[in-house]
Amino acid sequence: MPLTLFQMIHAAASRHGGRMLPVSAAAGHLVAGMYLVPLAAGKSLPLCADGFPALAVALHLPTTILIRHQQKTYPVDSAWCCSPLLQAAEMDVSGEDGLLLVIRFYPSAFAQLSRKSMQEMRQTPVWRPEEIWGDDITAVLHALRELPSVHAKCECLEHWAMAQKIIPPNPLVDDMMWQVITGDDIPEVKSFTGTLGRSYKWLERNFNRYTGLAPKEFICQQRFVKACVSLSLAARPDYLALAMDHGYCDQQHLSREFRRFAGISPRVFHQKNSSNF
């Protein structure tokens, strides 16, 4: 999953220079999306995973990026992979303004690409690419930064991903994730057992294998991400309406989930981040 809120970035891209990049048909079974995100030095941004694993690469050096999570600081050396679950984490950027290129993978494909299980990955908020794919990725990232155009950089990442040995992934988990992400309402977990024709135990086992998350964790995560998108794009938010629109029991439930995932209240989140996106 992307570290920043990609739904938010996509919605606000025209205002802040970020954009969603095209994915080739050949890589379509591996790559869920590619994004170009502006990095502003001296700003602290909230990080929120959406359940999709991702590789993020700062294209302009020197750039120093620090991830802060649970009173610990992780230097990421301008390239990193993310945990499937981030709570109350932030990213600090210093050095120079630049761009962040993010390749977002389908979970079932990434589970085959990675040397770490998704359960291992969630134990740390960020990982160095070498820890996930070995030293070969270092040469790929170096070559990527030397390429002159964003299109060429995207092709470089796609070719690397397609060169890995991937068997056809199980589409059911990915289908469930897309239904939750793209749907207007956040469904209950039990609604998927009939839709997918599988038992809850099957769903829970495979969901944990491919995402490192329980189905209920993913749904809670998506509810929060969608609320963040709405909140950050609202000029004068109505917090009670926001809670009702996104499936929370009440405004207090919304506040508890924001403190859990973002570490701050919805009001403070809006004050800090509405101008960033």
Side-chain angles (χ1 to χ4, degrees), residues 208-271:
N208 270 289
R209 174 187 173 189
Y210 289 124
T211 69
L213 302 171
K216 289 181 180 179
E217 282 184 305
F218 177 72
I219 287 176
C220 287
Q221 186 184 52
Q222 287 305 309
R223 182 183 293 118
F224 167 73
V225 168
K226 290 185 177 186
C228 280
V229 174
S230 298
L231 179 57
S232 296
L233 298 177
R236 296 181 179 179
D238 180 332
Y239 294 100
L240 178 58
L242 181 72
M244 297 297 100
D245 288 345
H246 292 282
Y248 292 103
C249 298
D250 50 33
Q251 189 171 337
Q252 287 71 29
H253 187 194
L254 174 74
S255 295
R256 286 197 303 272
E257 290 297 280
F258 261 80
R259 292 187 184 280
R260 172 189 170 194
F261 282 103
I264 52 180
S265 69
R267 192 177 304 277
V268 173
F269 181 93
H270 181 261
Q271 291 171 349

Side-chain angles (χ1 to χ4, degrees), residues 5 14 27 35 46 54 73 77-78 94 114 143 173 177 188 191 217 228 231-232 235 248 252 261 263 269 277:
L5 300 174
S14 61
Y35 304 82
T73 300
D77 298 328
S78 300
S94 60
S114 175
V173 171
M177 294 182 77
E188 296 291 333
S191 68
E217 282 184 305
C228 280
L231 179 57
S232 296
Y248 292 103
Q252 287 71 29
F261 282 103
F269 181 93
F277 294 94

